[in-house]
């Protein structure tokens, strides 16, 4: 990973960034109803879990 000369974000800034990222993701999926939103979010959660596994272990693993 590259190190940046920028300071770390605060917890409040990270939460705000996460919220706006989720909103942008759901809007980009063109969800028509709550079911569409749940499906989109389930894919986002799965991608996040896979990314976490990659960071933690250096490789991807199936998490279920």
């Amino acid at each position: 990973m590259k190190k940046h000369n920028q300071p770390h974000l605060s917890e409040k800034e990270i939460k705000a960034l996460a919220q706006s990222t989720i909103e942008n993701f759901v809007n980009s999926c063109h969800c028509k109803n709550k079911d569409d939103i749940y499906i989109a979010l389930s894919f986002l959660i799965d991608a996040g879990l896979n990314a976490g596994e990659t960071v933690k272990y250096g490789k991807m693993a199936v998490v279920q």
Side-chain angles (χ1 to χ4, degrees):
M1 262 176 133
K2 269 188 167 181
K3 289 187 177 184
H4 297 99
N5 293 330
Q6 298 176 349
H8 292 289
L9 296 177
S10 69
E11 186 175 322
K12 184 177 180 179
E13 291 169 321
I14 291 170
K15 285 181 181 181
L17 179 59
Q19 181 66 37
S20 69
T21 301
I22 291 168
E23 288 174 7
N24 289 334
F25 175 77
V26 170
N27 288 333
S28 294
C29 291
H30 305 293
C31 296
K32 304 290 186 215
N33 53 47
K34 285 184 180 182
D35 287 339
D36 288 352
I37 293 169
Y38 294 137
I39 291 168
L41 290 175
S42 71
F43 280 99
L44 186 61
I45 290 167
D46 183 58
L49 290 172
N50 286 333
E53 290 292 308
T54 300
V55 170
K56 187 172 183 178
Y57 300 111
K59 61 183 177 180
M60 291 194 63
V62 176
V63 179
Q64 287 187 358

